[in-house]
Amino acid sequence: MEIILEKTTKPFLKKHAGSQALAKERIGAILEREQATGLTKVKLALRQPVAGRPCFELHCNLAKLGSVRVAFTLDGQVARIWFISTSLQKATFTSEVSRVLREVSK
């Protein structure tokens, strides 16, 4: 599975400088496993589509970076990561995602 980190992930990656490869690798492995099992732990992050695709969210453990929630879209074997946050509460994460992706979804 190909993982594409969009520009909207920059604040998280800037805060955890040097960990982009680790985050991309771990998120890719988790998404591949979820896709193989039928996306059982995946929920809708937003009701409106992002770039014409439904936006999903998933809780991930990134080893030394800790637990995060990831907002992403799937297009076959390509996963676009739109947002990564350390906010684990669903309501907080949803408000952050909607604020950040408001311009992208238009």
Side-chain angles (χ1 to χ4, degrees):
M1 174 177 284
E2 182 184 355
I3 304 296
I4 299 171
L5 296 172
E6 295 292 336
K7 289 181 182 178
T8 51
T9 61
K10 191 174 182 178
F12 176 83
L13 296 174
K14 192 174 183 180
K15 183 177 179 184
H16 300 282
S19 300
Q20 180 175 352
L22 173 68
K24 195 172 181 179
E25 176 187 325
R26 296 285 299 200
I27 291 170
I30 292 168
L31 285 176
E32 281 184 23
R33 189 173 9 167
E34 279 301 309
Q35 198 169 30
T37 60
L39 300 174
T40 56
K41 296 182 180 179
V42 173
K43 302 173 197 151
L44 272 179
L46 299 172
R47 292 180 187 224
Q48 68 271 16
V50 176
R53 310 288 304 168
C55 185
F56 300 106
E57 63 97 359
L58 177 66
H59 178 261
C60 300
N61 185 357
L62 300 182
K64 67 179 183 179
L65 296 178
S67 294
V68 297
R69 278 191 189 260
V70 178
F72 64 96
T73 56
L74 286 175
D75 189 13
Q77 288 297 313
V78 177
R80 291 186 180 275
I81 309 299
W82 292 97
F83 188 69
I84 304 172
S85 174
T86 55
S87 299
L88 298 180
Q89 281 188 318
K90 174 74 172 153
T92 308
F93 177 76
T94 302
S95 67
E96 289 177 357
V97 169
S98 61
R99 181 177 40 82
V100 169
L101 297 182
R102 189 173 301 137
E103 294 301 316
V104 177
S105 60
K106 290 183 180 178

